[in-house]
Amino acid sequence: MVSSLRKTKAKIPSSSKAATSSTKAASNPLTQISKLESTLLGEEYDPNPLLSLVSLARHDDPEIVHRAVWALHRVFIKYIGENRVGGMNGDLISKTANQESESDVGEEREVKAWVRERLLEYIEILVGLMRDTEPALRSSSVPLLFSLLPPLSMSIPSITPLVHIPYLRLLLHSFFNPTCSLRGARPKSSGGWKTVAANQVEEDEGVLPSDVSKIIVDDFWAKYDDIRWAYFKEAGVYLQNLSSPLKTPSNLLSQLLPLTNLPKAPEDINAFYISAFSDPPSGISSSKKTKKTTKKGKTRYTAEADALPDWMKEYESSGSEDENDSDNNNDNDTKGKNKKRVRRQRTSQLSVHSSVYSVLSHTTFYTILWENVLSFVRLDDNWIRKILVGLHGDKGIMGHFKPERRLRIADWLGSLVDQGGANGMLGINGLFILMTQYNFEYPHFYDRLYGLLDRNVMHVKYRARFFRLLDTFLASSLLSSALIASFIKRLSRLALTAPPAGVILILPFIYNLFKRHPGTMVLLQRPDAGLVLRISSSLGQQGYVDPYDENEPSPLKTKAIDSSAWELAALQKHYLASVGTIAKVFGEVFTKPEFGLEDFLDHGYSTLFETETNRKIRNPPALSLTLETATPESALELFPSKDKERSEGDVDIVSQLWAF
């Protein structure tokens, strides 16, 4: 063995030889890179030039670094295929390879360990280039990092295809916690590297640039089924094993949130980054469909898809089946449950090859990953809102969850709703879906919904989305008139102080509520003269007192059904003509159909201004031909002093409202 090593000259380089190689590389780097690569790829195995080539990969010139990292890529791909990179530690290679490396003895083991160290240095350089200022280096570093995964995976001796999990974990750690670029770095005497600030990307420390995240998602996680499955599985394990919270959750969420293309049927699993997974495991056909014959003689097709069963079936889990099976071993139903339990156990014990081809396995690890994200990651308001926006729908996050585990996010959604604000507005939709589709019990749903209607709801970014949801929540004809009356009164009060764009949205919404719930028409049939009486009451005079309690948190106890919609009468005198015109619809006979809410959701100051400027004026206003100038004495007459006596009938209520 030793004699063969001497023939190949695979010796650990001495310091003098390394210094000589570094001097030559510094003289003409581009030419030296080609020579070093030719030597490393030659027939005679000599890994000594790796030290010089890795050193050139830390050069300050981007072109030299680009040439060096690609040359190292070709060298290490060949060395991994020839099993010349062995004896790695547990952070980078599996136990099987470690056991195999124990057969290497003497100088051969030392050479493989030395080559492994150079590979780790090369990976460290590529990880740092993800935060380099040079765009070409950033875009090249990600494919080079992924390119090492297939040869490492195929180097593991196994009958079935495998994914090199230790290296994948190293990749995930690098993607979630990127380091500084080593381009132009110099070694410190105390260890480590002194980086060049000018070569670092402008993003905050530890944050992955957006273009790098896009490459990772679009070109790898979203494109290939095998490594996406491994990503879901290992990212969930990574979060569970964290000793401290993730420093930069944006790196994880920017890669996870766009992944909405999970396979729904077995035939959707057809793209593989590791070529060994291209052939399906034994027992799985290309179509993956089986025929079942019903009692009537008809055939129906069943596939491993994420079809939503009845809500009772959503609660069936392997644990509950095991308990039922142990209690009823003598029943015929128990035999069927035992068979079902065996199938579930086989699914959980699938090999890596079979798991990659299993839709259920993809869905399971995706669900576990999101559960760990919501449990172990500190999310700021920005990411919470992004998650809530992408939570619903067939292609949303919840649509890819395992059906029986979707109820597990109810606590997280409930906590957001209790906090209120924009997060509560978006989170309450998730609770509504769990209530209507999965029989989830949330008795205080309409109490929380009523509490979300405050003055801030008219000024948030998601106002239009919230009113779409509110229209859905209040659409049922089974809701009581007292409940709907409270929402009408709360919205009417908000309209008094809301911006014009919000008032134009609220008025058609209230009109639709009256049309759907005729029992609330008593709010309009009561005399609306209470408007003036209420204003006088606010000034300390006796008059009409609204029985509606706006401070009551429960919509069933506000006594809104005993009140009147005097706020709508007040809006008929709004300063904006379009608002007053819409408000007059409440004084007419309710023969018009419901308003299309979509026509009023996107109004803002710009659209209102454009409407007013383009509106045709039938009767032009009268204009004075002469310009009247006011003197200081005449100006004082416009604002008489408080001491000036007024007649008893001359009471300016509006001016008194502004007297502090």
Side-chain angles (χ1 to χ4, degrees), residues 636 639-646:
L636 292 176
F639 303 96
S641 62
K642 296 182 180 179
D643 299 335
K644 187 176 181 180
E645 295 182 359
R646 292 177 177 266

Side-chain angles (χ1 to χ4, degrees), residues 12 49 53-55 74-75 99 101 167 246 295 377 379 391 414 438 485 512 542 555 567 605 657:
I12 301 175
L53 195 55
V54 170
S55 177
R74 291 184 286 268
V75 171
Q99 293 173 358
S101 64
Y167 180 69
L246 201 61
K295 294 181 179 180
V377 179
L379 303 173
L391 188 64
Y438 302 99
N512 292 346
Q542 295 180 356
E567 298 91 348
Y605 283 107
L657 290 174

Side-chain angles (χ1 to χ4, degrees), residues 274-325:
I274 302 174
S275 58
F277 286 99
S278 300
D279 297 328
S282 59
I284 298 181
S285 60
S286 58
S287 62
K288 297 186 179 66
K289 289 186 177 180
T290 59
K291 289 185 178 181
K292 286 188 177 181
T293 304
T294 61
K295 294 181 179 180
K296 296 182 180 180
K298 298 181 180 179
T299 58
R300 60 185 179 91
Y301 289 87
T302 60
E304 190 183 7
D306 188 15
L308 294 179
D310 297 334
W311 69 268
M312 283 298 295
K313 297 181 180 180
E314 308 296 342
Y315 294 94
E316 295 181 358
S317 61
S318 58
S320 61
E321 289 162 3
D322 295 342
E323 295 173 1
N324 293 333
D325 295 339

Side-chain angles (χ1 to χ4, degrees), residues 543-575:
Y544 173 77
V545 177
D546 195 342
Y548 170 67
D549 186 3
E550 60 184 5
N551 297 321
E552 172 60 43
S554 176
L556 294 175
K557 300 178 182 179
T558 60
K559 300 180 181 179
I561 196 66
D562 300 328
S563 178
S564 65
W566 59 265
E567 298 91 348
L568 301 178
L571 291 173
Q572 295 178 4
K573 304 298 182 181
H574 198 274
Y575 68 89

Side-chain angles (χ1 to χ4, degrees), residues 382-627:
N382 184 32
W383 280 111
I384 289 176
R385 293 172 187 176
K386 289 182 179 180
I387 293 173
L388 291 173
V389 170
L391 188 64
H392 313 293
D394 295 337
K395 294 185 178 180
I397 298 172
M398 192 181 296
H400 295 297
F401 267 39
K402 291 188 68 176
E404 66 271 13
R405 301 178 73 165
R406 290 172 182 171
L407 292 176
R408 296 190 178 187
I409 64 173
D411 291 339
W412 181 70
L413 293 173
S415 64
L416 295 178
V417 173
D418 292 340
Q419 296 173 7
N423 295 341
M425 292 164 51
L426 296 173
I428 200 168
N429 187 30
L431 293 177
F432 184 77
I433 292 177
L434 294 178
M435 291 168 56
T436 55
Q437 297 184 11
Y438 302 99
N439 204 39
F440 176 68
E441 294 185 5
Y442 192 72
H444 302 290
F445 177 81
Y446 285 100
D447 294 350
R448 297 293 184 267
L449 180 62
Y450 183 74
L452 292 175
L453 293 175
D454 54 11
R455 65 175 63 184
N456 298 322
V457 75
M458 306 308 302
H459 302 277
V460 296
K461 177 181 178 181
Y462 304 100
R463 181 182 65 188
R465 178 187 291 268
F466 177 71
F467 272 88
R468 288 190 184 97
L469 298 175
L470 187 63
D471 185 57
T472 303
F473 301 155
L474 301 178
S476 175
S477 59
L478 300 178
L479 298 175
S480 64
S481 299
L483 179 70
I484 300 299
S486 297
F487 281 91
I488 291 176
K489 286 291 293 184
R490 176 62 67 89
L491 291 172
S492 301
R493 290 287 177 91
L494 291 177
L496 294 177
T497 57
V503 181
I504 289 181
L505 172 59
I506 289 176
L507 292 178
F509 190 89
I510 294 177
Y511 182 85
N512 292 346
L513 290 180
F514 279 121
K515 291 283 291 185
R516 297 172 187 172
H517 306 276
T520 59
M521 294 295 292
V522 293
L523 297 177
L524 296 176
Q525 295 168 356
R526 291 193 177 96
D528 55 4
L531 170 62
V532 178
L533 295 175
R534 176 169 166 76
I535 294 178
S536 62
S537 177
S538 64
L539 300 176
Q541 304 175 5
Q542 295 180 356
Y544 173 77
V545 177
D546 195 342
Y548 170 67
D549 186 3
E550 60 184 5
N551 297 321
E552 172 60 43
S554 176
L556 294 175
K557 300 178 182 179
T558 60
K559 300 180 181 179
I561 196 66
D562 300 328
S563 178
S564 65
W566 59 265
E567 298 91 348
L568 301 178
L571 291 173
Q572 295 178 4
K573 304 298 182 181
H574 198 274
Y575 68 89
L576 190 63
S578 56
V579 174
T581 302
I582 297 177
K584 290 179 181 179
V585 74
F586 296 100
E588 303 173 357
V589 181
F590 270 58
T591 56
K592 296 181 179 180
E594 293 185 8
F595 286 98
L597 201 61
E598 294 294 331
D599 299 335
F600 303 91
L601 290 175
D602 297 328
H603 274 298
Y605 283 107
S606 59
T607 58
L608 294 177
F609 181 80
E610 183 180 358
T611 301
E612 290 297 320
T613 54
N614 296 333
R615 185 165 58 90
K616 294 182 180 180
I617 302 177
R618 296 181 180 179
N619 299 321
L623 301 176
S624 177
L625 298 178
T626 60
L627 182 62

